[in-house]
Amino acid sequence: MAMLEIRGVHKSFHTYAKPGVHPGIFGRAPKPTSSLDVLRGVDLTVEKGDVVAILGPSGSGKTTLLRCLNFLETADAGQLTFDGETFDLAHADRASIARLRRKTAFVFQNYNLFRNKTALQNVTEGLIVARKMPKAEADAVGMKMLEKVGLADRADYYPRQLSGGQQQRVAIARALASGPEIIYFDEPTSALDPELTGEVLAVMRQLAQEGMTMLVVTHEMGFARNVSSRTVFMENGVVVEEAPSQEFFAHPKEARTREFLQKISHTE
Amino acid sequence: MLETLLSNRTVSVLWEALPRILSAGLTMTIPLTLVSFTLAMVLAVAVALVQYARVPVLSQLARFYIWVIRGTPLLVQLFIIFYGLPSVGIMLDAFPAAVIAFAFNEGAYCAETMRGALESVPQGQLEAGYCVGMSWWQIMRRIVLPQALRTAVPALSNSLIGMIKDTSLASNITVAELFMAGQRVAARTYIFLPIYCEVAVVYLLFCTVITKLQGLLERQLNAHGFQ
């Protein structure tokens, strides 16, 4: 059985004539002046140990899809089955959202480290506060995770004292700390220069080799081709093509995929 | 002219008045400020949070409260509470009446400061908290509020310094604070300019201490990652 199965995810964003408008308690929901269908029925299956790369041009809905899977956005429709339990992406209650989030972790494009916490505290915060782990035990886990990403010597540094690459590695350590079954990566290297990108990708490659299940939205063709086991190409809110990575890059089936890969190869 | 201003008599009156003015400051102005400001901060954080979280009804009430308080003079608020409320059967001593007026008044202004500071904390901090399994309230308490308070320190220090001086209005409702102590000496001795200057200098002294403390606090916070 697949570890993660998503079916029919739809999501639209609405803009309103008046900025910041939201329905008051007695007010009706305001009518949107324009709507954008970002996800138009996305299906995806991830097996345990899979490293799935999601490629696609800007605005194709990759990031929104990932955010819907962890309820950072509420989808308009869609189903997610995780470890045999099915969640309604449009109407999940708080308890099931919390239950799902306990099994997953998320790495953001701009790291989102807690700015008022040290590297170690960033890793242990969720363990101590959300999982009620004793501090000493959490610190031990935290140090182990920082070691894993090569930053044990930066444990007491605050995020602003770290480079972008180091911050992202702390964020990966934070994601690992809770022992997730899958980690979602949202363009983890897009805010980094090539040198720092390398150190983050190295950590992700190591995780892949250790068998961590990962769903990675990325623009790093090298990572998709060489590290990910499967590659998904999205455009205009739908999955255009999906295949084992070797095959995807060697023999893309869809014309649109070929065009995209060609464009990318010019810039690389 | 300087001779008459600083005659022997004036100097001795100023000298004798100093302990009275200082002690009124230390026993009334400072406690009144600290108690009122503490309550104001509690109120401000609560009022800012219900708006930040868009709690229905409560956030509308918060807007109404801020609208009324900011739109009416502090002196009028003091008079309503101390002289007005007894006619509907609510009798308050001068000090508690002043505390209520100052706390509610300052609370409205600080609530706006706090709301702005809360909204300046990037949304990503909340999202990261959710993703490591924290609840909204845990994220507020441990991540967002500490960061917001740090942002708000300069503006809140402004409010605190403003409040020290505003407590002089409490003399109008019979609170024997710093300004009233000076007023009494002036009325008794007919020495106005030097006494009121002395009063001003004591306020300046208090505010200087607060300003120094603000600098110290900011340096401490910066050393602990709040920047």
Side-chain angles (χ1 to χ4, degrees), chain B residues 172-189:
Chain B
N172 288 291
I173 61 164
T174 77
V175 176
E177 45 66 69
L178 200 163
F179 177 69
M180 187 186 263
Q183 230 177 354
R184 280 180 178 158
V185 177
R188 189 162 42 79
T189 60

Side-chain angles (χ1 to χ4, degrees), chain B residues 2-198:
Chain B
L2 197 69
E3 271 170 40
T4 46
L5 271 180
L6 286 176
S7 66
N8 282 343
R9 179 175 168 259
T10 309
V11 171
S12 72
V13 168
L14 280 178
W15 184 246
E16 280 162 28
L18 187 59
R20 288 168 192 250
I21 292 175
L22 265 179
S23 81
L26 291 172
T27 59
M28 268 299 175
T29 298
I30 296 292
L32 180 57
T33 305
L34 289 184
V35 173
S36 306
F37 195 75
T38 307
L39 292 177
M41 276 309 297
V42 173
L43 192 61
V45 169
V47 168
L49 270 179
V50 297
Q51 293 180 82
Y52 180 76
R54 295 184 170 172
V55 181
V57 186
L58 284 183
S59 59
Q60 277 89 339
L61 269 177
R63 289 319 301 170
F64 178 76
Y65 155 68
I66 291 167
W67 173 65
V68 169
I69 295 291
R70 290 201 304 187
T72 54
L74 175 54
L75 187 58
V76 175
Q77 294 162 9
L78 277 164
F79 272 52
I80 287 176
I81 291 173
F82 186 68
Y83 295 117
L85 288 186
S87 59
V88 291
I90 303 172
M91 300 276 264
L92 290 166
D93 284 342
F95 188 82
V99 166
I100 291 171
F102 287 126
F104 273 92
N105 185 274
E106 204 60 48
Y109 289 94
C110 292
E112 286 296 85
T113 302
M114 281 309 299
R115 186 169 64 89
L118 282 171
E119 281 166 5
S120 78
V121 176
Q123 194 65 22
Q125 298 285 303
L126 263 163
E127 293 180 352
Y130 285 134
C131 286
V132 298
M134 294 163 79
S135 67
W136 184 84
W137 183 238
Q138 287 171 333
I139 299 169
M140 281 301 124
R141 205 160 41 81
R142 300 187 52 104
I143 309 294
V144 175
L145 265 176
Q147 290 181 28
L149 277 169
R150 172 62 191 94
T151 311
V153 165
L156 292 177
S157 301
N158 255 351
S159 298
L160 177 58
I161 287 171
M163 191 181 215
I164 293 182
K165 297 171 295 172
D166 284 348
T167 55
S168 57
L169 290 174
S171 62
N172 288 291
I173 61 164
T174 77
V175 176
E177 45 66 69
L178 200 163
F179 177 69
M180 187 186 263
Q183 230 177 354
R184 280 180 178 158
V185 177
R188 189 162 42 79
T189 60
Y190 291 99
I191 295 175
F192 295 104
L193 183 58
I195 285 291
Y196 285 129
C197 285
E198 188 175 19

Side-chain angles (χ1 to χ4, degrees), chain A residues 93-187:
Chain A
D93 57 277
R94 210 177 288 183
S96 36
I97 292 176
R99 201 162 54 244
L100 180 69
R101 282 180 179 155
R102 284 181 82 88
K103 301 180 185 178
T104 66
F106 203 101
V107 174
F108 298 88
Q109 180 177 352
N110 46 9
Y111 337 127
N112 288 342
L113 291 184
F114 303 130
R115 298 184 302 182
N116 58 330
K117 304 277 175 193
T118 63
L120 180 62
Q121 288 168 341
N122 262 281
V123 181
T124 58
E125 182 72 8
L127 299 178
I128 296 170
V129 178
R131 284 163 203 259
K132 312 284 176 226
M133 190 185 277
K135 187 175 177 300
E137 197 182 323
D139 281 350
V141 174
M143 284 310 296
K144 214 174 96 194
M145 294 307 150
L146 284 178
E147 246 161 61
K148 200 177 174 76
V149 298
L151 287 172
D153 58 332
R154 294 287 187 273
D156 295 326
Y157 284 51
Y158 286 95
R160 68 188 154 81
Q161 300 168 313
L162 300 171
S163 73
Q166 290 171 333
Q167 290 191 52
Q168 192 61 297
R169 279 148 66 199
V170 172
I172 293 175
R174 176 171 71 180
L176 287 170
S178 58
E181 294 177 37
I182 186 170
I183 305 181
Y184 301 123
F185 290 84
D186 180 17
E187 303 193 24

Side-chain angles (χ1 to χ4, degrees), chain A residues 55-97:
Chain A
L55 307 179
S58 297
S60 57
K62 321 178 286 289
T63 291
T64 305
L65 174 67
L66 215 56
R67 291 170 59 82
C68 284
L69 298 187
N70 222 11
F71 293 99
L72 292 176
E73 307 273 358
T74 306
D76 299 329
Q79 269 195 349
L80 178 154
T81 306
F82 195 95
D83 273 351
E85 184 181 359
T86 298
F87 300 85
D88 182 345
L89 289 175
H91 320 89
D93 57 277
R94 210 177 288 183
S96 36
I97 292 176

